[in-house]
Amino acid sequence: MFTKIEDFAAEWTSEAELTATVLDALTDDSLGQEVIEGRRMLGQIAWHLVRSLHFMTTLGLTFEAPSRGEEAPDSAAFIASEYRQISKNLLNAVRTQWNDESLRESVMIHEEAWLNGSSLRYTIMHQAHHRGQMTVLMRQAGLRMPNVYGPTYDAWVEKGIAPLI
């Protein structure tokens, strides 16, 4: 749980940049990559990640939603651009509409109390969860994997270092 707005802001800024790096690596052709038939495709997961940030408005924050509805766009560049915008909107809303005390307040969602500071942590973890899903599908689609929390297998090989297995 976050107890200070600026602690969230620092972590969000870092995590949002990692997510943007992953989204930047997508191509329009890769958006249709699926793990199995009938499940979310890569583009749908990416778009869900963008749209899900607007969920924070249920906690009383006010900020602009993505400019499109639920159907995933067919442009990887558009998805990445929309992510950058809503990510900034969320951070600005937290910084301007809440204070450190607001993080200890709770909101009832589906008959369960959610602390604002815990919801911010959950939002970061939700984003990391979907980044992980996306990187698996990206590899299946033949895309170059960006470094996220460290070098990728390919980055190690390019440096002449045997990757850990």
Side-chain angles (χ1 to χ4, degrees), residues 32-146:
Q33 182 67 41
E34 58 186 354
V35 65
I36 60 173
E37 190 175 331
R39 299 290 170 91
R40 283 183 180 159
M41 292 180 281
L42 179 55
Q44 292 169 321
I45 295 170
W47 189 239
H48 166 73
L49 197 151
V50 172
R51 288 185 45 80
S52 67
L53 295 182
H54 203 248
F55 171 79
M56 294 301 289
T57 60
T58 63
L59 302 174
L61 292 171
T62 303
F63 59 97
E64 194 172 326
S67 63
R68 288 185 49 143
E70 286 189 36
E71 187 175 332
D74 57 7
S75 166
F78 179 80
I79 292 171
S81 174
E82 286 289 291
Y83 175 77
R84 280 187 167 80
Q85 186 59 54
I86 196 164
S87 171
K88 287 177 190 175
N89 293 349
L90 169 61
L91 180 55
N92 184 56
V94 170
R95 279 184 159 154
T96 61
Q97 297 170 34
W98 283 352
N99 56 40
D100 292 346
E101 283 110 40
S102 302
L103 300 179
R104 291 185 268 296
E105 295 171 4
S106 64
V107 175
M108 294 300 288
I109 301 173
H110 303 297
E111 299 179 19
E112 186 178 342
W114 285 64
L115 288 170
N116 290 339
S118 295
S119 294
L120 293 174
R121 168 66 58 206
Y122 175 83
T123 299
I124 288 174
M125 299 310 296
H126 179 256
Q127 179 171 254
H129 161 72
H130 287 303
R131 271 196 325 249
Q133 290 178 318
M134 289 171 51
T135 58
V136 170
L137 292 171
M138 289 168 71
R139 182 153 311 272
Q140 289 177 339
L143 298 179
R144 167 84 183 188
M145 300 306 307

